[in-house]
Amino acid sequence: MDEMRTMRSHLQVQASTLEAHHFVNRSIQVLANLALLELRLGFSEDALEALQRALLLGRPGGFIRSIVDAGPGLVPLLEQLRERDATPGYASKLLAAVAS
């Protein structure tokens, strides 16, 4: 559990640094993986926030693979974000890509 918390902290710093330097693709990947880790640690709202940040970065460029490559564990989070109307059309595209 301590290793997961250390990884969480590392990913949070990495995501912030990548975003600050405008490395969009890598930021999206890190945020998607952070969302999965947050979910596994039981931080559901933090997981949603991380994934929402990834979607907000990815939507303008239509990034799909950068997010769905994190795996099917994102499905519940994507469904919740779609329901919250955070990025409904984009979240639906991502869900379709995960299903295929």
Side-chain angles (χ1 to χ4, degrees):
M1 190 65 120
D2 286 338
E3 286 181 21
M4 289 174 57
R5 290 182 188 277
T6 300
M7 180 59 76
R8 176 184 185 223
S9 185
H10 174 73
L11 288 174
Q12 289 170 330
V13 169
Q14 189 177 14
S16 295
T17 302
L18 290 167
E19 284 183 79
H21 289 91
H22 306 287
F23 292 116
V24 176
N25 186 46
R26 188 69 182 122
S27 296
I28 293 166
Q29 293 169 337
V30 169
L31 287 166
N33 284 300
L34 176 60
L36 287 173
L37 185 59
E38 299 272 24
L39 189 61
R40 189 164 179 199
L41 287 168
F43 301 116
S44 300
E45 284 304 313
D46 291 338
L48 286 168
E49 182 181 319
L51 189 57
Q52 184 171 3
R53 281 173 47 205
L55 269 59
L56 292 173
L57 287 172
R59 183 179 54 192
F63 288 83
I64 302 290
R65 277 288 130 218
S66 301
I67 296 171
V68 299
D69 280 351
L74 291 178
V75 169
L77 296 172
L78 286 167
E79 288 173 342
Q80 288 180 52
L81 289 175
R82 183 179 59 187
E83 290 170 12
R84 291 182 179 191
D85 284 337
T87 52
Y90 187 47
S92 293
K93 282 183 184 180
L94 293 168
L95 284 164
V98 171
S100 60

